[in-house]
Amino acid sequence: MMKKESFFISYAHEDQEFVGKLYDEIADRGFQVWFDEKEILLGKGLREQIDSGILKANIFILVITGSYLEKYWTKLELDAILGLESKGLARIIPVLKNITIDQLREKSPLLAGKALIVGEDETEHLVNDILLKFTDARSKIKKQKESWKSGSETNLPVILAGCGWWARNRTVIPFIQNNPSLFKVVGITSLKDEYDEYEKLIVPTFNEIGLEAPPFYPNLYRAINDCKKKYESHPISVIINTPNKYHEELSGIAIEANCHVYAERPINRTSDDLRMLISIAKQKRRILFNGVQRRLEASFKYIFHVIENGINFSKLANITCILRSGRTLEGWRTDRALSGGGIIIDEGYHLLDAAMWFLEAASPGIKIEKEHVPENQTVFQFNNQISFPGIETSAIGFVKLPEDVILNFDLTYTAPERSIFEMIELRDVEGNLLRLLRNLAKRSTEPGRVLHQLRSGDIIGHGFLKSSGNSNFSFVPLDEASGANNTGPIQQFYQQVINFENGSYDFESPRTIGLNECAARFVLNTQELIASIYNSAMK
């Protein structure tokens, strides 16, 4: 099997300026290129370095001019390259510059039969021809991704596995409506053959935003197979918005089919299974993201930044999460087999995830395992145990986390209808305080108000926040602040798919604010915490 494309440019130094442009054009497409101007190191043998470059490459661009055919070094390179080609280990691309085919044919009929002709300043068109004719299908995809990145060619095709109220009104459809050039929905699936729901709810939703409704498929297998045939050289992504129970199964199906995946949180309930899913995604080289939007809000990012950098805040000692959410349970949320539980796995997930995110800011690289949380006491209350068995409407408890951090939580649905009271408070060992509070009689996207106060009573900052970049935060009036960011994780997912297809996505890259906080591998601690809370309460 031919290894992944890696280029070597052989040329005479009289043509260095032209070759420099050629190198830049190919390297900018995400390919590896050996160009002596960039690779040769002083103090090391010249011949050995050139040999090393030749052995690493499998596509050889020969910039042939009158000088090239007369130089000693270029003749040596050409002999070595032709030897590799004779063994099936190289593909040769002669590029003629200031020389005709007839002139080359007099010197080398073999090379003349392979040659491309280029004018003085045609490097971009030349590279397009090289990638199209002499590399495999990945090259065509890379070329297409450059167009997608600039928005000049087409949208990234995406299949929606489920398209319920949340997807239609808060996340996927609003994102597509506001960013019509990014995603093209090419299929919609359901868990059952729910064509009536598709006709009554989904088709009108797409029509309202001026888009043609995508085709309906009874299951994800058929949707992926059909869409792969229609979009053969395009990267297919799957966005999963179903009851919690099916997130993990559908994610696995999509990843195994070589699709990138965005799944609403939680992807599943157990960290062990999530680790397996992340491992498969890495092996398949597919992106796996999930919807933890609090990490993208300015107020939460400010707290993370303060803790991570020790800005008027020392060693983290205590985290308290309080949630009073006025919600009437309905639909799949009333069935524990579909939801996995109540307030903890549903709305409470966001504050608990934020708590784990802040813990990681205080102790980078920390990993929570079951044996790390032996002290864990939780009490559930079931207000509708007869109607909704196993669906906790309230949860009160504490967990002793690593580094002697105590997490307290008090979460409930029993609040005035549609109201929301949300608070997360963090204290360090010296008594300094960080608090984020959102208290609304009616739900809205209004952001939380942050208080950063020292034990002395001095206030570092109090109010609403906006951010620019990873470390620039300012307290601003409410109308300038950034609030709930329901579509933020999908925006991140889109950008990471583009990065991957352009060759710049790193599966080992650390969490980076504004780039990949929502990657599934960064919620393992949250999943472990939630599993621990349920295990404690259900004993």
Side-chain angles (χ1 to χ4, degrees):
M1 176 183 289
M2 186 70 74
K3 59 186 176 182
K4 184 177 180 180
E5 291 88 356
S6 180
F7 291 82
F8 182 102
I9 305 179
S10 178
Y11 70 103
H13 276 264
E14 287 83 346
D15 305 305
Q16 191 172 62
E17 183 179 353
F18 170 81
V19 175
K21 295 178 183 178
L22 191 63
Y23 165 85
D24 289 338
E25 194 70 33
I26 298 174
D28 286 345
R29 310 293 181 94
F31 290 92
Q32 294 180 339
V33 191
W34 197 95
F35 171 36
D36 63 357
E37 181 71 14
K38 303 288 184 180
E39 302 290 340
I40 295 296
L41 301 175
L42 294 177
K44 294 188 176 182
L46 181 61
R47 178 64 179 269
E48 288 77 12
Q49 292 184 72
I50 293 174
D51 284 344
S52 176
I54 289 174
L55 291 173
K56 289 178 181 178
N58 62 345
I59 300 177
F60 295 84
I61 300 175
L62 317 179
V63 180
I64 299 177
T65 61
S67 299
Y68 182 90
L69 295 172
E70 302 299 330
K71 295 285 185 177
Y72 170 76
W73 277 108
T74 54
K75 286 182 179 179
L76 289 179
E77 288 180 1
L78 181 58
D79 288 344
I81 293 166
L82 289 172
L84 290 175
E85 186 193 37
S86 68
K87 298 176 182 179
L89 300 176
R91 284 172 283 183
I92 294 178
I93 307 170
V95 173
L96 275 59
K97 183 174 182 294
N98 299 329
I99 188 172
T100 67
I101 287 285
D102 289 337
Q103 289 172 321
L104 177 60
R105 189 173 290 115
E106 291 176 5
K107 298 283 187 177
S108 176
L110 178 63
L111 291 180
K114 303 173 182 287
L116 294 171
I117 300 176
V118 62
E120 192 66 27
D121 295 303
E122 294 292 322
T123 52
E124 180 178 356
H125 297 300
L126 171 64
V127 169
N128 287 341
D129 288 340
I130 289 171
L131 297 185
L132 185 63
K133 296 178 181 179
F134 293 93
T135 63
D136 67 13
R138 285 195 301 272
S139 307
K140 298 178 184 179
I141 292 174
K142 286 179 181 294
K143 185 177 173 183
Q144 289 170 334
K145 300 310 169 293
E146 289 296 326
S147 298
W148 291 328
K149 192 172 183 180
S150 65
S152 63
E153 183 178 323
T154 185
N155 313 27
L156 288 173
V158 61
I159 297 169
L160 303 186
C163 192
W165 186 91
W166 187 253
R168 296 195 304 271
N169 295 278
R170 290 288 186 269
T171 56
V172 184
I173 302 304
F175 178 78
I176 292 171
Q177 182 177 12
N178 293 328
N179 302 276
S181 65
L182 302 188
F183 280 134
K184 174 181 176 61
V185 182
V186 295
I188 286 184
T189 76
S190 68
L191 299 173
K192 301 176 182 178
D193 194 359
E194 297 167 341
Y195 191 77
D196 286 348
E197 181 183 31
Y198 168 77
E199 282 192 320
K200 293 177 181 178
L201 297 176
I202 296 173
V203 172
T205 297
F206 275 84
N207 291 340
E208 285 173 9
I209 63 173
L211 295 177
E212 182 181 353
F216 174 84
Y217 294 93
N219 59 65
L220 187 55
Y221 289 107
R222 188 183 299 182
I224 292 174
N225 290 335
D226 193 28
C227 291
K228 278 192 169 184
K229 294 175 184 176
K230 292 180 180 178
Y231 302 90
E232 183 177 358
S233 59
H234 296 54
I236 302 291
S237 297
V238 175
I239 296 180
I240 300 170
N241 284 275
T242 63
N244 297 343
K245 174 182 177 180
Y246 300 104
H247 291 176
E248 179 184 353
E249 176 186 352
L250 295 174
S251 296
I253 291 171
I255 289 170
E256 288 289 354
N258 291 315
C259 298
H260 301 297
V261 176
Y262 175 93
E264 273 300 336
R265 53 87 204 158
I267 295 180
N268 61 4
R269 267 267 305 273
T270 64
S271 57
D272 290 341
D273 290 342
L274 179 57
R275 284 189 180 90
M276 180 63 70
L277 197 60
I278 291 170
S279 176
I280 295 171
K282 184 177 177 181
Q283 291 170 13
K284 289 281 188 176
R285 299 190 63 76
R286 297 296 101 179
I287 292 173
L288 178 61
F289 256 53
N290 71 150
V292 283
Q293 68 260 30
R294 294 294 192 279
R295 299 180 180 210
L296 306 181
E297 296 178 25
S299 51
F300 285 82
K301 289 198 291 184
Y302 172 80
I303 294 175
F304 185 98
H305 176 69
V306 166
I307 297 172
E308 183 179 44
N309 294 282
I311 302 172
N312 294 298
F313 199 85
S314 63
K315 185 178 184 298
L316 181 63
N318 182 273
I319 307 174
T320 298
C321 299
I322 298 176
L323 177 65
R324 302 282 181 269
S325 173
R327 174 190 284 277
T328 299
L329 295 180
E330 56 187 358
W332 58 265
R333 284 184 169 83
T334 65
D335 183 348
R336 191 170 193 274
L338 296 176
S339 66
I343 188 70
I344 290 288
I345 201 76
D346 189 22
E347 290 194 44
Y349 186 102
H350 289 296
L351 282 184
L352 296 174
D353 175 71
M356 292 300 94
W357 193 44
F358 296 149
L359 177 67
E360 292 160 21
S363 303
I366 195 168
K367 294 182 180 179
I368 296 178
E369 306 287 354
K370 292 183 177 65
E371 59 268 23
H372 292 164
V373 285
E375 294 186 44
N376 177 2
Q377 295 184 13
T378 306
V379 176
F380 282 171
Q381 180 178 357
F382 302 91
N383 285 359
N384 298 295
Q385 182 67 11
I386 295 176
S387 302
F388 311 141
I391 303 297
E392 77 278 358
T393 52
S394 299
I396 301 174
F398 76 88
V399 179
K400 185 175 181 181
L401 298 168
E403 306 294 329
D404 295 322
V405 176
I406 301 299
L407 169 65
N408 301 285
F409 55 91
D410 183 351
L411 315 172
T412 185
Y413 282 132
T414 56
E417 186 68 18
R418 295 190 61 223
S419 67
I420 186 80
F421 176 93
E422 183 178 35
M423 186 187 82
I424 186 164
E425 182 178 280
L426 303 97
R427 295 180 183 272
D428 65 14
V429 294
E430 298 173 4
N432 299 315
L433 169 71
L434 286 165
R435 177 189 295 148
L436 189 153
L437 176 67
R438 191 164 67 115
N439 186 13
L440 302 174
K442 298 293 182 183
R443 288 172 180 265
S444 76
T445 58
E446 181 177 310
R449 182 188 297 269
V450 172
L451 171 64
H452 185 181
Q453 186 174 21
L454 304 184
R455 181 170 182 170
S456 64
D458 294 340
I459 295 177
I460 304 301
H462 187 206
F464 302 100
L465 280 150
K466 72 174 181 180
S467 65
S468 58
N470 293 349
S471 58
N472 296 318
F473 297 91
S474 55
F475 286 88
V476 296
L478 175 60
D479 59 356
E480 296 180 23
S482 55
N485 193 357
N486 294 326
T487 63
I490 296 178
Q491 171 71 53
Q492 263 198 7
F493 171 69
Y494 171 84
Q495 186 56 58
Q496 293 296 51
V497 172
I498 290 292
N499 291 348
F500 176 86
E501 297 298 335
N502 284 332
S504 60
Y505 182 82
D506 182 0
F507 283 90
E508 301 295 341
S509 62
R511 173 208 53 78
T512 305
I513 287 182
L515 188 63
N516 61 358
E517 302 101 309
C518 300
R521 65 185 186 276
F522 297 130
V523 299
L524 283 167
N525 285 338
T526 303
Q527 301 291 77
E528 193 64 76
L529 172 67
I530 287 176
S532 173
I533 290 172
Y534 274 108
N535 290 340
S536 171
M538 295 299 188
K539 286 182 179 177

